[in-house]
């Protein structure tokens, strides 16, 4: 049983995030969502982790901020209206004597209140380019949330199955220890009857101690996985988070070509790459339009005093209007726009290359997941034969020893082989289950929203 910690360690270190899909073909344990009494099911574990993670809140708020920027850019298509009221006191003011009267050219108290409306009538596509760029950035932010939720959900599912696998391994170890203890008790009776030697009892005690040490290693790895789950749940003070379930094995047929097509269509990394391409292209268009002329119009209505008109006192407030049209034409910017276009084109080519690399990586992910499932299935079938063969070998070794025609070492070796074959079966079940989740991740499928 000395190799069991290595087998468990390899299983717990399986890399590559994945996400399960709540649909036919997945393990029954993956279909259960929510809390069961005081223990977390798989679905409850994933949902609790998603609810507790502040990183998702951060990405969600970044997406909300991007939506706010989009709304701001869309406001540029509407007129801008402002109201202004001012009071100015002037001392002294220019005056002139005219007969018995003194005329002022400017009043001491000046009042001016008006409304101003401005609208950019023509900008040759600059506002549309800015709005499209903001819309692309919103899509990127939303896709980032999808990717983060998927990866976090699989991390939770992986830790959940790590815990189930560790428990299964401990049960295998407990069965071996119990069998060895029963065998030792039988040998002790034979020693007391004078038909066996103390050496056989001591040898068995050594194997029991070795099996107990292996169990301690497994218990330590189980505790570490529980700590990891507590961290995902952001409950560092609670190391032992109860989970419910048993490790199962439910094989499913896999069509590689169909899975590859599904991944090419649904994988969020492809969407992110396409988002980057679109953003780079829209950024290039915005730069192209930023050097174009713009035509704006404006109007102002209000009332003010200070007019020198017949039959009107200079202090009287009069209604007034103002209209304006303005054409702005960029002439020279030191070559800045041209250099920005060069940068934008390079960014676009980079985004296209990144998309191609992402597509190749996705195809590789799907093939690896399918390979893992196929070989785990073969290992499971082989482990079933090993368990049957090891069980038969142990029964025969115990019978031979009981009738004095076999050796104690044969029984101990058979016990070890049976325990190792049971652990190999559990690991094949674990690997196949994780392979199912890796395939779901590789094809871009999700369940917990």
């Amino acid at each position: 049983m000395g190799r069991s910690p290595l087998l468990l360690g390899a299983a717990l270190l399986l890399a590559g995030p994945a996400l399960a899909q709540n649909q036919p073909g997945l393990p029954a344990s993956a279909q259960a969502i929510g809390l069961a009494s005081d223990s977390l099911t798989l679905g409850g574990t994933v949902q609790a982790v998603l609810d507790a993670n502040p990183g998702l809140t951060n990405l969600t708020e970044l997406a909300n901020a991007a939506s706010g920027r989009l709304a701001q850019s869309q406001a540029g298509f509407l007129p801008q209206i402002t109201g202004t009221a001012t009071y100015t006191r002037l001392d002294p003011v220019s005056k002139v004597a005219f007969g018995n009267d003194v005329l002022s050219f400017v009043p001491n108290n000046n009042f001016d209140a008006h409304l101003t409306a401005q609208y950019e009538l023509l900008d040759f596509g600059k506002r549309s380019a800015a709005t499209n760029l903001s819309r692309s950035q919103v899509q990127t932010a939303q896709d980032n949330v999808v990717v983060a939720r998927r990866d976090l959900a699989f991390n939770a599912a992986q830790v959940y199955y790590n815990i189930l696998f560790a428990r299964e391994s401990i049960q295998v170890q407990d069965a071996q220890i119990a069998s060895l203890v029963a065998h030792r008790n039988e040998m002790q009776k034979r020693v007391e009857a004078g038909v066996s030697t103390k050496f056989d009892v001591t040898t068995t005690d050594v194997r029991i101690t070795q099996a107990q040490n292996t169990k301690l290693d497994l218990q330590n790895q189980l505790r570490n996985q529980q700590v990891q789950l507590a961290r995902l749940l952001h409950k560092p003070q609670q190391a032992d988070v109860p989970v419910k379930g048993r490790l199962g094995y439910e094989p499913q047929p896999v069509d590689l070509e169909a899975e590859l097509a599904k991944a090419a269509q649904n994988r969020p990394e492809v969407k992110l790459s396409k988002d980057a391409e679109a953003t780079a292209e829209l950024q290039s268009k915005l730069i192209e339009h930023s050097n174009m002329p713009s035509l704006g119009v404006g109007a102002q209505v209000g009332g003010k005093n200070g007019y020198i008109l017949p039959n009107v006192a200079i202090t009287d407030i009069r209604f007034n209007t103002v209209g304006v049209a303005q054409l702005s034409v960029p002439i020279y910017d030191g070559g800045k726009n041209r250099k920005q276009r060069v940068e934008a084109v390079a960014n676009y080519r980079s985004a296209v290359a990144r998309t191609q690399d992402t597509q190749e990586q996705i195809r590789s992910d799907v093939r690896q997941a399918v390979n893992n499932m196929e070989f785990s299935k073969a290992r499971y079938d082989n482990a079933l034969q090993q368990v049957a063969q090891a069980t038969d070998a142990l029964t025969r070794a115990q019978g031979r020893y009981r009738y004095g025609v076999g050796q104690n070492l044969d029984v101990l070796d058979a016990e070890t082989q049976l325990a190792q074959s049971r652990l190999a079966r559990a690991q094949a079940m674990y690997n196949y289950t994780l392979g199912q989740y890796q395939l779901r991740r590789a094809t871009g499928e999700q369940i917990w929203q």
Side-chain angles (χ1 to χ4, degrees):
M1 194 60 194
R3 292 188 297 166
S4 57
L6 296 178
L7 292 172
L8 179 58
L12 297 182
L13 291 175
L14 281 176
L19 181 65
Q21 182 74 14
N22 189 10
Q23 59 184 2
L26 279 181
S29 57
Q31 310 289 353
I33 298 180
L35 287 170
S37 66
D38 60 343
S39 299
L40 288 171
T41 62
L42 172 61
T45 300
V46 173
Q47 192 60 57
V49 169
L50 292 176
D51 292 340
N53 190 269
L56 289 179
T57 303
N58 173 54
L59 290 175
T60 301
E61 293 305 324
L62 288 177
N64 293 337
S67 299
R69 289 192 296 271
L70 172 60
Q72 293 174 37
S73 65
Q74 291 173 330
F77 290 96
L78 301 175
Q80 305 297 310
I81 301 176
T82 57
T84 306
T86 60
Y87 164 76
T88 306
R89 171 69 185 184
L90 297 177
D91 282 306
V93 296
S94 300
K95 298 181 180 181
V96 62
F98 188 78
N100 294 329
D101 296 324
V102 177
L103 300 179
S104 298
F105 294 100
V106 179
N108 293 100
N109 299 306
N110 295 267
F111 300 93
D112 185 3
H114 59 267
L115 294 175
T116 301
Q118 296 175 313
Y119 180 68
E120 194 169 24
L121 192 63
L122 183 63
D123 65 355
F124 296 92
K126 284 188 289 187
R127 284 174 298 180
S128 295
T131 300
N132 291 336
L133 178 60
S134 296
R135 187 175 289 110
S136 177
Q137 292 170 342
V138 170
Q139 186 62 53
T140 298
Q142 292 173 346
D143 289 341
N144 278 327
V145 174
V146 172
V147 172
R149 290 179 66 86
R150 179 208 61 191
D151 291 344
L152 186 62
F154 174 75
N155 289 340
Q158 187 175 26
V159 172
Y160 172 86
Y161 279 112
N162 287 347
I163 291 175
L164 297 188
F165 178 52
R167 288 178 179 174
E168 189 78 17
S169 301
I170 291 173
Q171 290 175 2
V172 170
Q173 203 66 26
D174 284 337
Q176 183 193 19
I177 293 173
S179 181
L180 287 173
V181 169
H183 180 64
R184 181 197 178 281
N185 293 337
E186 181 180 347
M187 283 189 300
Q188 183 63 37
K189 294 178 181 178
R190 292 169 64 90
V191 170
E192 294 173 355
V195 295
S196 184
T197 65
K198 187 67 176 177
F199 175 76
D200 289 341
V201 175
T202 303
T203 304
T204 305
D205 285 337
V206 171
R207 291 295 182 96
I208 293 174
T209 303
Q210 290 175 345
Q212 290 172 338
N213 286 337
T214 301
K215 179 182 176 181
L216 289 175
D217 292 337
L218 295 172
Q219 289 174 329
N220 178 55
Q221 295 186 47
L222 172 60
R223 179 60 60 86
N224 286 338
Q225 291 303 309
Q226 290 171 332
V227 171
Q228 177 69 5
L229 178 58
R231 186 194 69 80
L232 290 175
L233 292 170
H234 288 268
K235 296 180 179 180
Q237 75 283 359
Q238 182 180 352
D240 187 3
V241 179
V243 298
K244 179 182 179 181
R246 289 291 302 274
L247 198 61
Y249 175 73
E250 298 174 26
Q252 65 183 76
V254 177
D255 185 341
L256 177 59
E257 295 303 322
E259 299 297 335
L260 287 172
K262 189 188 303 181
Q265 181 178 0
N266 299 331
R267 187 77 176 262
E269 284 86 350
V270 173
K271 296 180 181 179
L272 280 174
S273 297
K274 294 294 185 180
D275 291 345
E277 282 188 36
T279 299
E281 184 177 9
L282 292 171
Q283 182 67 41
S284 178
K285 291 182 179 180
L286 177 60
I287 292 172
E288 290 176 1
H289 288 87
S290 65
N291 219 24
M292 301 295 289
S294 62
L295 175 63
V297 295
Q300 179 177 298
V301 296
K304 61 179 295 186
N305 61 356
Y307 288 100
I308 302 177
L309 297 172
N311 302 322
V312 176
I314 197 172
T315 57
D316 290 347
I317 296 178
R318 298 294 303 274
F319 177 77
N320 66 87
T321 61
V322 176
V324 63
Q326 178 178 319
L327 176 65
S328 298
V329 181
I331 297 176
Y332 179 70
D333 64 355
K336 177 181 179 181
N337 186 264
R338 175 176 56 82
K339 296 171 183 177
Q340 288 177 331
R341 293 187 186 189
V342 173
E343 178 187 1
V345 171
N347 287 336
Y348 177 75
R349 290 198 299 263
S350 174
V352 171
R354 187 163 55 250
T355 298
Q356 295 175 349
D357 182 67
T358 299
Q359 291 171 337
E360 293 175 0
Q361 180 61 52
I362 288 172
R363 288 191 289 268
S364 175
D365 290 344
V366 172
R367 291 190 177 98
Q368 289 181 20
V370 171
N371 289 340
N372 289 341
M373 292 175 63
E374 290 179 353
F375 282 94
S376 295
K377 185 175 183 299
R379 289 178 64 87
Y380 178 80
D381 295 339
N382 188 53
L384 288 182
Q385 296 181 6
Q386 290 179 347
V387 170
Q389 293 167 354
T391 301
D392 181 66
L394 176 60
T395 301
R396 294 177 183 275
Q398 289 174 335
R400 287 170 58 84
Y401 181 76
R402 187 175 299 112
Y403 293 106
V405 294
Q407 298 182 358
N408 180 51
L409 185 60
D410 295 334
V411 177
L412 299 180
D413 288 342
E415 289 278 8
T416 301
Q417 290 299 323
L418 178 58
Q420 289 180 343
S421 60
R422 286 174 174 171
L423 183 58
R425 179 183 60 185
Q427 178 147 10
M429 295 163 59
Y430 170 87
N431 289 346
Y432 188 86
T433 301
L434 262 292
Q436 291 177 302
Y437 284 81
Q438 289 168 347
L439 182 59
R440 292 298 180 271
R441 177 189 183 277
T443 56
E445 298 183 29
Q446 299 178 345
I447 51 172
W448 292 284
Q449 304 296 331

